[in-house]
């Protein structure tokens, strides 16, 4: 019979994989062992795929230690959203973390993060949290920023890696860090795609084969927009829209070309970096995708924005 583990002792895997912390005490103990260099954090909701892996590998290359958080944050899901059916794949998540050389996985339950139930005090995303995804998902960004703030404090990370895939989330995290003086460096990582262009997402597992075909119109529309980037905003919007209208089974919520830091539609004379973003429902699944673009002379798709604050 194995000896019971003293409470608060993080679990170390036999194969030299990541230490797993489930409680605050376990995290504190394991975090204290990450000495002699900086610590990067990659925050996830689990169901890890190559997009997450790329964040981890980028962090691994730049920082001495990498912490991955796996936490399905109830605060950022609306009452009619997919919290209960969200994929949970802890064992394969751990395998990915092990092969990627993650030092520490923090995988708490909601009662560990929200010790007194739903927090009365939350981070407010402000006006940028009410447009695009925020309009479709009221309260989502306040819930997201609240948990990101808590996980930054709990992990004590020096840097945090986020995907361009969730462009509005990334912008709001940068704003929170700037506006509330968090001592952390935020790093953007380009969107990782399937070979056919579909942006990787944990929610892609909901798609049937025929949904998946339909879903391709989102990334195709973005590419069509990018191909018109030299011609200016209305040409970009027209090119992207012409792809979407040919796919009636994609229920498009929005297709926008907006300024990367204000999220306001860019006017026709605008030249410079802009975000071409799309959201829609395919079958039962809401999908989002985007491309950062350079609009005007030399117009093209970019991997991430160069000058967003
Ligand atoms: P999630 O588990 O969906 O909350 O995502 C955790 C992190 O992974 C976020 O910073 C996402 O932006 C990022 N991410 C998700 N999908 C991708 C992708 N296809 N490419 C790059 N980053 C991604």
């Amino acid at each position: 019979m194995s000896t019971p583990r003293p409470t608060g002792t993080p679990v170390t895997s036999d194969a030299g994989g990541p230490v797993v912390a489930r409680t605050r005490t376990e995290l504190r103990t394991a975090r204290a062992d990450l000495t002699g260099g900086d610590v990067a954090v990659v925050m996830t909701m689990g169901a890890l795929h190559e997009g997450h892996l790329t964040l981890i590998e980028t962090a691994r290359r730049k920082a001495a230690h990498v912490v991955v958080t796996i936490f399905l944050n109830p605060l950022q899901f609306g009452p009619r959203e997919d919290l209960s059916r969200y994929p949970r794949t802890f064992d394969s998540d751990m395998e990915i973390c092990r092969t990627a050389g993650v030092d520490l996985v923090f995988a708490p339950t909601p009662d560990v993060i929200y010790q007194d139930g739903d927090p009365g005090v939350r981070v407010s995303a402000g006006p940028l949290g009410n447009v695009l995804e925020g309009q479709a998902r009221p309260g989502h960004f306040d819930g997201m920023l609240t948990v990101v703030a808590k996980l930054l404090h709990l992990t004590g990370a020096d840097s945090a890696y986020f995907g361009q895939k969730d462009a509005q989330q990334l912008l709001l995290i940068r704003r929170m860090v700037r506006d509330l003086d968090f001592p952390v460096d935020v790093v953007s990582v380009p969107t990782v795609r399937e070979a056919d262009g579909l942006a990787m997402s944990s929610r892609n597992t909901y798609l049937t084969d025929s949904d998946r075909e339909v879903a391709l119109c989102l990334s195709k529309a973005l590419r069509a927009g990018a191909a018109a980037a030299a011609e200016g905003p209305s040409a970009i919007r027209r090119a992207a829209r012409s792809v979407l209208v040919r796919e009636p089974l994609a229920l498009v919520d929005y297709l926008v070309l907006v300024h990367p830091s204000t999220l306001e539609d860019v006017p026709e004379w605008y030249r410079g970096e802009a975000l071409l973003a799309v959201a829609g429902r395919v079958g039962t699944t809401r999908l989002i995708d985007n491309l950062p673009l350079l609009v005007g002379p030399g117009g093209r798709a970019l991997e991430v924005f160069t000058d967003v604050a």
Side-chain angles (χ1 to χ4, degrees):
M1 210 172 81
S2 63
T3 327
R5 183 168 61 92
T7 319
T9 311
V11 179
T12 317
S13 101
D14 309 336
V19 174
V20 181
R22 297 233 177 231
T23 66
R24 287 165 179 252
T25 311
E26 290 175 1
L27 176 64
R28 213 174 297 123
T29 306
R31 175 64 180 83
D33 289 340
L34 301 181
T35 53
D38 61 331
V39 173
V41 66
V42 175
M43 297 180 191
T44 80
M45 299 199 296
L48 302 189
H49 50 67
E50 265 182 65
H52 299 111
L53 178 61
T54 303
L55 265 61
I56 295 169
E57 287 172 343
T58 309
R60 180 73 286 169
R61 280 197 296 278
K62 296 201 185 153
H65 303 290
V66 178
V67 178
V68 169
T69 66
I70 300 179
F71 179 58
L72 207 40
N73 176 32
L75 223 57
Q76 70 189 67
F77 284 78
R80 290 198 303 279
E81 293 185 14
D82 58 343
L83 177 61
S84 60
R85 76 161 175 160
Y86 200 87
R88 290 161 169 85
T89 59
F90 188 73
D91 291 345
S92 76
D93 294 350
M94 282 307 298
E95 186 53 28
I96 288 172
C97 289
R98 194 185 62 73
T99 50
V102 171
D103 298 274
L104 168 57
V105 171
F106 180 43
T109 46
D111 59 306
V112 168
I113 295 295
Y114 303 113
Q115 298 175 105
D116 305 311
D118 274 9
V121 175
R122 301 180 187 205
V123 178
S124 165
L128 285 180
N130 297 329
V131 297
L132 304 179
E133 282 308 285
Q135 191 165 12
R137 308 181 65 188
H140 167 70
F141 286 119
D142 291 3
M144 179 279 293
L145 288 179
T146 301
V147 83
V148 169
K150 287 168 74 79
L151 291 172
L152 286 173
H153 291 316
L154 289 167
T155 60
D158 304 292
S159 57
Y161 289 69
F162 295 96
Q164 176 61 42
K165 161 79 170 38
D166 298 282
Q168 192 174 4
Q169 164 174 293
L170 181 53
L171 171 64
L172 283 165
I173 290 167
R174 286 191 178 281
R175 281 299 163 83
M176 176 180 77
V177 163
R178 187 191 73 180
D179 293 352
L180 302 182
D181 298 299
F182 279 67
V184 67
D185 185 22
V186 174
V187 181
S188 309
V189 179
T191 301
V192 179
R193 299 178 179 281
E194 304 282 358
D196 58 11
L198 183 71
M200 290 195 181
S201 163
S202 306
R203 291 189 168 96
N204 290 352
T205 56
Y206 303 151
L207 300 172
T208 63
D209 288 350
S210 59
D211 287 344
R212 209 186 163 294
E213 282 301 307
V214 173
L216 284 180
C217 73
L218 303 181
S219 54
K220 276 191 200 146
L222 297 175
R223 283 202 304 279
E231 296 165 53
S234 58
I236 295 168
R237 293 182 178 115
R238 206 167 38 242
R241 205 176 304 125
S242 74
V243 173
L244 296 177
V245 296
R246 289 201 297 271
E247 185 45 270
L249 293 178
L251 305 180
V252 176
D253 183 5
Y254 59 77
L255 168 72
V256 292
L257 181 69
V258 293
H259 191 276
S261 52
T262 65
L263 301 183
E264 286 171 8
D265 288 334
V266 294
E268 185 52 21
W269 50 260
Y270 180 82
R271 297 295 179 263
E273 296 188 356
L275 176 72
L276 183 60
V278 64
R281 188 168 289 278
V282 176
T284 58
T285 309
R286 182 183 162 79
L287 296 172
I288 59 172
D289 198 354
N290 73 82
L291 266 187
L293 298 183
L294 180 64
V295 178
R300 63 184 189 282
L302 306 169
E303 295 223 294
V304 292
F305 291 113
T306 56
D307 60 357
V308 173

